[in-house]
């Protein structure tokens, strides 16, 4: 778990540095290349939360349930 959190932290820092470089690059210059995600220790694809959802599992990712407008009104009051 710690290795995955560390890899995610490195990915977010690299993305932040890339965004900073993009914003501060002259308009005439080519933009810098986007960073590649750090490989995860167990070989799962980046962003995969389920250990069974690797490239060979054949399972569909879980979809979030739709929230009704009434639920949103109750939550935000």
């Amino acid at each position: 778990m710690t290795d995955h959190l560390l890899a995610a932290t490195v990915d977010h820092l690299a993305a932040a540095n890339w965004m900073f470089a993009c914003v501060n690059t002259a308009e005439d210059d080519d933009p810098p290349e986007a960073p590649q995600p750090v490989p995860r220790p167990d070989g799962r694809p980046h962003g995969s939360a389920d250990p069974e959802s690797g490239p060979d599992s054949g399972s569909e990712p879980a979809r979030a349930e739709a929230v009704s407008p009434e639920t949103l009104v109750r939550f935000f009051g």
Side-chain angles (χ1 to χ4, degrees), residues 17-54:
N17 288 334
W18 173 73
M19 285 184 227
F20 180 82
C22 285
V23 168
N24 292 304
T25 301
E27 289 183 18
D28 298 338
D29 293 343
D30 291 333
E33 289 188 29
Q36 297 297 318
V38 174
R40 298 316 192 246
D42 58 1
R44 290 191 315 202
H46 171 67
S48 173
D50 181 18
E52 301 301 322
S53 67

Side-chain angles (χ1 to χ4, degrees), residues 3-22:
D3 293 337
H4 287 276
L5 291 173
L6 183 59
T9 302
V10 169
D11 287 344
H12 284 85
L13 286 172
N17 288 334
W18 173 73
M19 285 184 227
F20 180 82
C22 285

